[in-house]
Amino acid sequence: MSDAKYTQIYWGLIAMVGGSALLSWLGHAGWAVAAIFALAAAKAFLVISYYMGLGEERVWVKWMLASAVLALAILFVGLIPDIVALAGRLGS
């Protein structure tokens, strides 16, 4: 890939960081937090696809990454009841 493409991606990442910073000044509005997480996911996708070269890998490597992310999501969702119960006990 050409250096110009990497430069465009770099400036896109910088713009997304700026957008996240601007959104953080808005406080903890639900849509602002959701937008910050969406920008973070987009930045992660760009870094993984272009700078780490996953976009050029074979399909089975992408499936391995997807299965690891799915396992992590299942772990997080499975721990939510414990975290909520613990936070409830600590708050009272």
Side-chain angles (χ1 to χ4, degrees):
M1 189 174 350
S2 69
D3 289 340
K5 184 70 172 175
Y6 281 114
T7 304
Q8 289 174 344
I9 294 168
Y10 173 76
W11 287 114
L13 290 169
I14 295 296
M16 285 190 243
V17 168
S20 296
L22 288 173
L23 286 169
S24 70
W25 287 341
L26 296 175
H28 293 289
W31 66 270
V33 173
I36 289 171
F37 278 110
L39 283 171
K43 289 185 290 189
F45 173 76
L46 285 174
V47 169
I48 289 171
S49 295
Y50 293 102
Y51 289 110
M52 294 177 67
L54 189 62
E56 300 167 1
E57 289 292 337
R58 293 193 172 115
V59 174
W60 66 270
V61 175
K62 295 174 187 176
W63 279 104
M64 283 180 27
L65 177 64
S67 65
V69 170
L70 178 65
L72 185 63
I74 290 170
L75 176 70
F76 283 164
V77 169
L79 288 176
I80 286 174
D82 294 331
I83 294 169
V84 170
L86 179 63
R89 284 196 302 261
L90 293 177
S92 57

